[in-house]
Amino acid sequence: MRLVRFGEAGAEVPGVLDGDGVLRDASSLVADWGGASLAPERLAALAGRVTDLPAVAGWDAEHAETGGGLRLGPPVARPGKVVCIGVNYADHAAESGMQTPPEPVVFMKDPWTVIGHRDTVLVPRGSTKTDYEVELAVVIGATARYLDSPDDALACVAGYATSHDVSERFLQLEGTGTWDKGKSCETFNPLGPWLLTADEVPDPQDLELRLSVNGEERQHGSTAQMVFGVAALVHYLSQVMVLHPGDVINSGTPAGVALGFPDPKPYLRSGDVVECSISGLGTQRTVMGQA
């Protein structure tokens, strides 16, 4: 299933896109997409009832991926936490001048950075090094705590979404302190357009990622290139923190970010159009604005 949340920011309604791209209102069955509503067994029970849900007026099924005439918010209600994995593709590590890590590099991103896939991303005031990163977002559906092995990990995943992990490189790498502050500026995590449930992703290590800026392709990779795959990441994180339903893991980005270009590096500016896509997870389109 493709789970969405539609409506104005702060007043989104849970919905499902059926096989024909028709938007159906799921509010009679769930209050929102987040927490317990993302439990794999609950999603499985819902799957057989999708066509019984009422269609949403004003929705253009032929243009579902671009919004269908309605605003699509982030497909997960405010996550409890957004956990990010750094340098998780060998080619991105190389372009960043970093070694491939022996274990996952973990940092956190403010959950309030999560916005809808066509909402405006704001370049921070004074920033000249705002960068882009297309990433596979892993959304947790069942509590993961001290999992015995990676073999147990995928059963804890509700689904997957396209994520744009926007970064401010000066704050992240050139100042003092942690990476978090270069990752947590307002609007720095468009998510969506939808959450594809895990049962429709047979292998999360076989997905193609692309990102373009103003129509020019900058990133093109595959989740097969991850240093640590999804199962390994969920298992690892469960040893150092409790992952709760609705939490989001941004699993890393392939090569092609602005940081890796020779000078002058093509960092993002107000007015730039960024498009991110992942196989089966849809394309998000963001127009950059100014804070």
Side-chain angles (χ1 to χ4, degrees):
M1 290 185 297
R2 292 177 292 173
L3 310 183
V4 299
R5 297 171 67 248
F6 62 94
E8 296 303 312
E12 293 93 344
V13 175
V16 179
L17 288 175
D18 68 18
D20 295 322
V22 174
L23 175 60
R24 297 185 177 274
D25 186 337
S27 61
S28 62
L29 300 179
V30 295
D32 210 341
W33 295 128
S37 68
L38 295 174
E41 62 274 12
R42 189 164 182 183
L43 294 177
L46 173 64
R49 304 179 63 182
V50 170
T51 55
D52 296 331
L53 299 173
V56 176
W59 177 257
D60 178 2
E62 291 186 9
H63 299 93
E65 193 164 293
T66 57
L70 299 176
R71 174 184 176 272
L72 293 182
V76 180
R78 186 72 59 204
K81 55 183 171 288
V82 179
V83 186
C84 300
I85 308 299
V87 291
N88 197 30
Y89 288 71
D91 56 358
H92 175 53
E95 72 175 352
S96 302
M98 302 177 186
Q99 297 293 320
T100 301
E103 63 181 87
V105 174
V106 180
F107 59 94
M108 308 296 285
K109 195 172 183 111
D110 181 357
W112 285 88
T113 59
V114 175
I115 60 173
H117 82 115
R118 293 175 70 84
D119 293 345
T120 300
V121 172
L122 300 176
V123 176
R125 295 178 186 180
S127 171
T128 59
K129 296 184 177 181
T130 296
D131 208 346
Y132 50 82
E133 297 184 11
V134 60
E135 306 202 6
L136 174 67
V138 182
V139 178
I140 299 299
T143 301
R145 176 180 180 271
Y146 294 115
L147 296 177
D148 289 335
S149 78
D151 293 338
D152 304 320
L154 295 186
C156 297
V157 175
Y160 304 90
T162 300
S163 183
H164 185 188
D165 178 17
V166 188
S167 310
E168 210 295 328
R169 299 300 189 191
F170 177 83
L171 293 174
Q172 179 194 0
L173 301 173
E174 298 180 43
T176 58
T178 66
W179 283 13
D180 301 37
K181 63 183 180 181
K183 297 285 189 169
S184 291
C185 301
E186 60 179 331
T187 71
F188 262 26
N189 200 158
L191 189 67
W194 52 71
L195 173 69
L196 186 65
T197 52
D199 61 299
E200 296 202 28
V201 184
D203 183 1
Q205 305 310 141
D206 186 27
L207 301 174
E208 186 178 35
L209 305 89
R210 293 178 182 269
L211 180 145
S212 67
V213 179
N214 300 327
E216 175 190 352
E217 185 169 273
R218 298 278 181 85
Q219 292 184 277
H220 183 193
S222 168
T223 56
Q225 299 167 313
M226 283 184 181
V227 178
F228 304 99
V230 172
L233 290 175
V234 174
H235 172 255
Y236 177 87
L237 291 171
S238 79
Q239 310 305 306
V240 299
M241 65 182 74
V242 180
L243 297 173
H244 297 282
D247 286 349
V248 174
I249 302 169
N250 284 336
S251 58
T253 197
V257 300
L259 178 67
F261 278 70
D263 292 330
K265 301 181 188 299
Y267 288 116
L268 297 172
R269 301 287 185 267
S270 180
D272 285 345
V273 178
V274 182
E275 292 186 311
C276 304
S277 64
I278 301 178
S279 308
L281 307 185
T283 298
Q284 60 169 249
R285 182 180 187 273
T286 296
V287 178
M288 305 297 294
Q290 185 64 55

